[in-house]
Amino acid sequence: MASFYEGDYAAVLEPFTRYAKQGDANAQYYLASMYALGMGVPRNLKTAAEWARLSAEQGNATAQTTFGLMHVSGEGGITQDITRAHMWLSLASSGGDRMAASLQSRVAKQMTPDQLEEAQKLARECVAKDYKGC
């Protein structure tokens, strides 16, 4: 099979889509990236956000970072929400995404103490719900 990393995006679109629909978190994240950047598909931030959310809700730390950044920017039809952004970046950081910790710190500097407290509460609740419906 052609490789995503080799840049043969058109060749991996069908298998990634098939695996993503079957619930594969990595395939969902790769599709989110492809749609966000227009790699082998027309750029579509709403579709990117949908795939990123599905992957993030399965605990994929890289997808959680991406989804958190979408909450910072309000891209992909997501309501701009710094508290939810911090929550997703916190989850991603806890899940081992090294970039998330730095981004989380930057976002925290823009937040009030009440917003930070709310983000931490949301993160705890999200973990308790196994990342579903966060």
Side-chain angles (χ1 to χ4, degrees), residues 7-55:
D8 194 353
Y9 308 117
V12 297
L13 180 61
E14 187 278 324
F16 278 178
T17 301
R18 184 174 68 250
Y19 296 138
K21 287 179 178 179
Q22 293 171 358
D24 184 283
N26 289 325
Q28 292 166 343
Y29 171 71
Y30 290 135
L31 282 177
S33 297
M34 290 172 69
Y35 280 100
L37 300 171
M39 300 182 316
V41 294
R43 187 169 190 246
N44 185 324
L45 294 177
K46 185 171 181 165
T47 300
E50 291 169 9
W51 286 120
R53 178 187 58 78
L54 288 171
S55 184

Side-chain angles (χ1 to χ4, degrees), residues 36-81:
L37 300 171
M39 300 182 316
V41 294
R43 187 169 190 246
N44 185 324
L45 294 177
K46 185 171 181 165
T47 300
E50 291 169 9
W51 286 120
R53 178 187 58 78
L54 288 171
S55 184
E57 287 183 344
Q58 290 192 71
N60 183 307
T62 308
Q64 290 170 340
T65 298
T66 299
F67 202 51
L69 288 172
M70 289 178 157
H71 279 82
V72 170
S73 66
E75 290 183 329
I78 294 173
T79 302
Q80 192 173 18
D81 184 340

Side-chain angles (χ1 to χ4, degrees), residues 1 4 18 27 31 48-49 61-62 86-87 97 106 113 122 130:
M1 177 191 329
F4 176 82
R18 184 174 68 250
L31 282 177
T62 308
H86 189 279
M87 177 203 74
D97 189 312
R106 287 188 206 172
L122 289 172
D130 199 28

